[in-house]
Amino acid sequence: MSAVLDQPQVVQFYRPNYHVKTPDMRSPEYVQMSTAAAITLGLVPGNMHRTACTNCLNLLVTYPEGCRANCTYCGLARHREESRDYADRNFIRVDWPTARYDEVIERVKVGNDKGQFQRMCISMITHPNSDADTFVLLDKWMKALPHIPVSILSNPTTMEKDDLVRLHKMGADIFTVALDAVTPAIFERTRGKTVDSPHRYSKYWQAIEWAAEIFGPEKFGAHLICGMGETEQEILEVCQKIKDMGGHNHMFAFYPEQGSMMEDWPACDKGQWRRVQLARFIIDYAGGHVSKMLFDADGKVIDFGVPEDELTDLVNSGKPFQTSGCPGKDDEEVSACNRPYGDSSPSDILSFPFALARKDVEIVKRQMAGEEIGAGLI
């Protein structure tokens, strides 16, 4: 056999397939991307219910060894390594296809996204090479596509302050921390020593403080998951703390990820989620403050602390109920990272990846009033 034929074939694109041998793909040569991003780039056929996919290219560093953390709610967690290869695991409800990074950059350069991408996000995982490879990916992107800003979804467990300084100097626009669990007890139960995972609540807050200092106001944020056992008051007090530091809050409704250790937990209560979404928006964008809100004995919001007419206008705008995340170029109150159906299905939408129509707002109002009604496929 010729030497040419003996050379291993370079994989340009791999779509998760549980019935074939997974190729050996690792960053920085390869990255995974969300299904919505793959559809937007024309790598996967399909479309998203009522939305033109995504305005953010969500990328994930990848290694055959996978993430070494063991977060109980995550589909990428280490405990799955015996049952599913890393590149085949679902994450925030969807598959994450793998492609050569140079191919991804080239597709964006020639306009395969049709100009939709307003932002790119590099998501890190807990792996010995994740930090170094993130610098490589950022450097390549800034040289090829400097007009599209980059967010870093960080892994504080492996990072030091100098890493944030370096990322900022290299051109990273926004730095975010996936705190997820808003109380020390929930953090420990879901992603700490208790479940044989390396993350520490204190280190995550240290990274948020570093980001506030290095990236500055409006250029850092935290991911928070609603519905993992915290009260509405507890999660909103964390929102206020991050807002007071100059950051933004990126909210997710808890959804039981298939294959995770919490796959049998109930999804976030709809009424709870809508109240938290609205209160978070008031804190981040409408000048409200958690100290002006009222809560009952169970920590449920019973007064949002703003005049009734202003509250009505906010609800009717629909904006508080859209996906929250890093902003795009069109509207700072609307996320470019709309993560279509990342925390719910199109048949029962929790985070709307599109602007709400009047009929959507009416359903949201009914959910806030305690009605068990779904918002989707309408």
Side-chain angles (χ1 to χ4, degrees):
M1 187 177 289
S2 70
V4 172
L5 293 178
D6 285 339
Q7 295 297 316
Q9 186 176 4
V10 175
V11 178
Q12 296 291 341
F13 180 73
Y14 172 74
R15 189 172 184 180
N17 186 336
Y18 314 142
H19 305 293
V20 302
K21 180 177 174 59
T22 306
D24 186 4
M25 302 168 293
R26 63 177 59 245
S27 296
E29 183 179 2
Y30 291 93
V31 290
Q32 291 180 262
M33 69 183 73
S34 67
T35 294
I39 292 174
T40 304
L41 281 178
L43 290 165
V44 172
N47 53 66
M48 291 285 178
H49 175 61
R50 291 178 66 186
T51 184
C53 290
T54 181
N55 290 319
C56 183
L57 174 57
N58 295 103
L59 302 181
L60 184 69
V61 295
T62 187
Y63 311 94
E65 310 84 52
C67 184
R68 307 322 295 158
N70 205 33
C71 303
T72 58
Y73 52 86
C74 183
L76 302 179
R78 191 183 70 247
H79 80 273
R80 298 189 74 188
E81 58 192 356
E82 291 184 3
S83 62
R84 184 161 296 174
D85 288 336
Y86 186 75
D88 290 332
R89 296 177 201 171
N90 48 289
F91 178 50
I92 59 170
R93 296 193 69 252
V94 299
D95 288 335
W96 285 65
T98 307
R100 292 186 68 244
Y101 187 50
D102 288 347
E103 173 76 6
V104 174
I105 288 177
E106 187 59 30
R107 281 179 172 265
V108 178
K109 284 180 69 174
V110 300
N112 282 20
D113 68 319
K114 300 180 176 61
Q116 285 184 224
F117 289 145
Q118 299 179 20
R119 179 169 293 277
M120 187 272 273
C121 179
I122 303 172
S123 297
M124 303 170 69
I125 64 172
T126 307
H127 185 278
N129 296 344
S130 182
D131 293 11
D133 290 338
T134 296
F135 293 123
V136 174
L137 296 174
L138 176 60
D139 182 60
K140 275 194 170 187
W141 186 271
M142 295 307 299
K143 288 176 179 175
L145 296 157
H147 62 287
I148 300 178
V150 177
S151 294
I152 304 294
L153 179 53
S154 63
N155 176 37
T157 297
T158 61
M159 303 185 81
E160 297 301 332
K161 187 175 183 179
D162 287 348
D163 296 320
L164 277 71
V165 172
R166 183 179 174 190
L167 287 166
H168 189 243
K169 287 182 177 178
M170 289 176 65
D173 179 55
I174 290 177
F175 187 91
T176 61
V177 173
L179 179 66
D180 293 348
V182 299
T183 72
I186 296 173
F187 192 100
E188 176 60 26
R189 169 173 59 79
T190 58
R191 53 193 329 208
K193 288 182 180 179
T194 302
V195 289
D196 194 24
S197 201
H199 303 317
R200 302 292 176 266
Y201 192 75
S202 59
K203 183 63 187 288
Y204 271 63
W205 272 106
Q206 183 179 58
I208 294 171
E209 291 167 356
W210 288 341
E213 175 186 343
I214 296 162
F215 283 77
E218 313 297 323
K219 294 296 183 179
F220 73 96
H223 289 196
L224 309 176
I225 298 178
C226 178
M228 293 208 295
E230 78 293 334
T231 68
E232 294 171 27
Q233 184 171 2
E234 285 173 332
I235 194 169
L236 292 172
E237 286 175 347
V238 171
C239 285
Q240 189 65 61
K241 181 176 179 179
I242 291 168
K243 174 62 175 177
D244 290 346
M245 294 169 69
H248 284 146
N249 297 283
H250 305 167
M251 303 291 289
F252 296 70
F254 173 76
Y255 186 91
E257 184 86 27
Q258 184 178 5
S260 72
M261 287 185 276
M262 292 179 70
E263 66 179 356
D264 294 326
W265 271 57
C268 184
D269 174 77
K270 294 183 182 67
Q272 173 188 359
W273 174 236
R274 296 305 181 203
R275 289 187 294 273
V276 167
Q277 279 185 302
L278 178 55
R280 188 281 314 181
F281 191 89
I282 290 170
I283 290 169
D284 273 2
Y285 296 112
H289 199 283
V290 72
S291 64
K292 296 180 180 179
M293 298 178 184
L294 297 180
F295 302 87
D296 67 13
D298 295 321
K300 173 184 171 181
V301 184
I302 54 176
D303 189 316
F304 291 91
V306 297
E308 193 63 34
D309 58 338
E310 292 182 22
L311 189 67
T312 299
D313 288 344
L314 285 174
V315 172
N316 288 336
S317 76
K319 283 186 178 183
F321 312 106
Q322 289 184 244
T323 308
S324 55
C326 293
K329 62 184 179 182
D330 298 331
D331 187 339
E332 68 172 12
E333 296 179 351
V334 176
S335 173
C337 182
N338 62 342
R339 304 185 298 277
Y341 311 110
D343 60 6
S344 58
S345 71
S347 63
D348 191 6
I349 302 170
L350 293 179
S351 296
F352 285 86
F354 50 81
L356 281 71
R358 182 178 298 175
K359 58 186 177 182
D360 302 313
V361 172
E362 292 307 311
I363 290 176
V364 165
K365 290 178 180 178
R366 291 167 64 184
Q367 290 175 334
M368 289 182 66
E371 260 189 80
E372 189 59 37
I373 181 174
L377 292 182
I378 54 177

